[in-house]
């Protein structure tokens, strides 16, 4: 009986070590800085559009403590004519809001189901603050691709495919 207990303990320790090594490998792959490649919205009727144009700009950070930050911008945004963001025209304000998206908070990775969970603390789209969003992802050839089903489109049936390249 003593041998069975010892073997069971060793198997449990080995399983824990393998799980930790797998978790470390995942974190190593996703940790660090990413540059935005593309954002493509897919509408319920199958049509697609580029909400941040052809060459969007953006950065994504994942740290080892479980924190993340995302910034996404249209590459070509008009300057504010007055030079003072507190004196924008309604059109300039719309351009700022519609031409960017940013949020930060904590993240978790479920490698088995290929899910990134974003626990959003603060967001440029205030409706996302305090929400938890799960995004299916793939990681291939130094690119991270995930799908956003809870977009900023006000509940419309729109999903977004976002692609990042590791820096």
């Amino acid at each position: 009986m003593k041998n069975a207990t010892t073997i069971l303990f060793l198997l449990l320790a080995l399983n824990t070590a393998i799980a930790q090594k797998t978790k470390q490998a995942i974190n190593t792959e996703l940790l660090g800085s990413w540059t935005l490649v593309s954002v493509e919205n897919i509408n319920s009727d199958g049509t697609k559009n580029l909400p941040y144009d052809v060459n969007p700009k953006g950065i994504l950070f994942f740290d080892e403590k479980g924190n993340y930050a995302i910034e996404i911008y249209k590459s070509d945004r008009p300057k504010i004519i007055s030079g003072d963001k507190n004196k924008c025209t309604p059109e300039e304000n719309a351009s700022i809001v519609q031409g960017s998206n940013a949020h930060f908070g904590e993240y978790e990775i479920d490698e088995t189901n290929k899910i990134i969970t974003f626990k959003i603390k603060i967001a440029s789209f205030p409706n996302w603050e305090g929400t938890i969003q799960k995004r299916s992802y793939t990681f291939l050839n130094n690119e991270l691709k995930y799908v956003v089903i809870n977009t900023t489109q006000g509940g419309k049936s729109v999903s977004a495919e976002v692609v990042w390249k590791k820096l």
Side-chain angles (χ1 to χ4, degrees):
M1 189 64 160
K2 197 175 199 180
N3 285 342
T5 304
T6 302
I7 290 171
L8 184 59
F9 177 75
L10 288 173
L11 287 173
L12 181 61
L14 180 62
N15 187 39
T16 302
I18 290 170
Q20 284 290 17
K21 185 169 179 68
T22 301
K23 186 175 181 180
Q24 289 171 353
I26 295 163
N27 286 342
T28 302
E29 285 180 346
L30 295 180
L31 284 179
S33 304
W34 300 79
T35 188
L36 186 61
V37 174
S38 64
V39 179
E40 182 175 64
N41 280 359
I42 304 157
N43 301 302
S44 59
D45 64 3
T47 59
K48 299 177 180 183
N49 68 306
L50 304 172
Y52 301 100
D53 294 331
V54 178
N55 295 307
K57 304 296 180 203
I59 194 149
L60 166 62
F61 298 100
F62 290 112
D63 78 11
E64 68 281 349
K65 294 180 182 178
N67 300 298
Y68 82 93
I70 293 175
E71 292 187 42
I72 297 175
Y73 299 97
K74 282 186 175 180
S75 59
D76 186 26
R77 293 172 295 132
K79 303 269 188 215
I80 306 305
I81 292 171
S82 70
D84 181 345
K85 74 176 189 174
N86 295 309
K87 296 179 181 174
C88 291
T89 66
E91 295 78 18
E92 290 171 333
N93 272 322
S95 176
I96 291 169
V97 170
Q98 294 168 8
S100 64
N101 190 4
H103 52 93
F104 66 87
E106 297 174 349
Y107 74 96
E108 292 177 2
I109 303 295
D110 176 351
E111 172 63 18
T112 303
N113 296 304
K114 300 291 187 195
I115 302 288
I116 300 173
T117 300
F118 289 103
K119 298 174 182 178
I120 301 172
K121 289 183 180 179
I122 302 295
S124 60
F125 183 60
N127 300 37
W128 277 9
E129 291 184 4
T131 65
I132 295 174
Q133 297 186 13
K134 295 181 182 286
R135 299 179 181 167
S136 61
Y137 78 91
T138 58
F139 178 73
L140 183 64
N141 297 328
N142 233 18
E143 282 195 348
L144 171 65
K145 182 187 301 184
Y146 60 71
V147 177
V148 181
I149 56 171
N150 185 12
T151 68
T152 59
Q153 303 291 310
K156 293 181 184 175
S157 254
V158 177
S159 62
E161 187 175 89
V162 184
V163 180
W164 301 90
K165 186 156 187 77
K166 186 87 178 240
L167 290 175

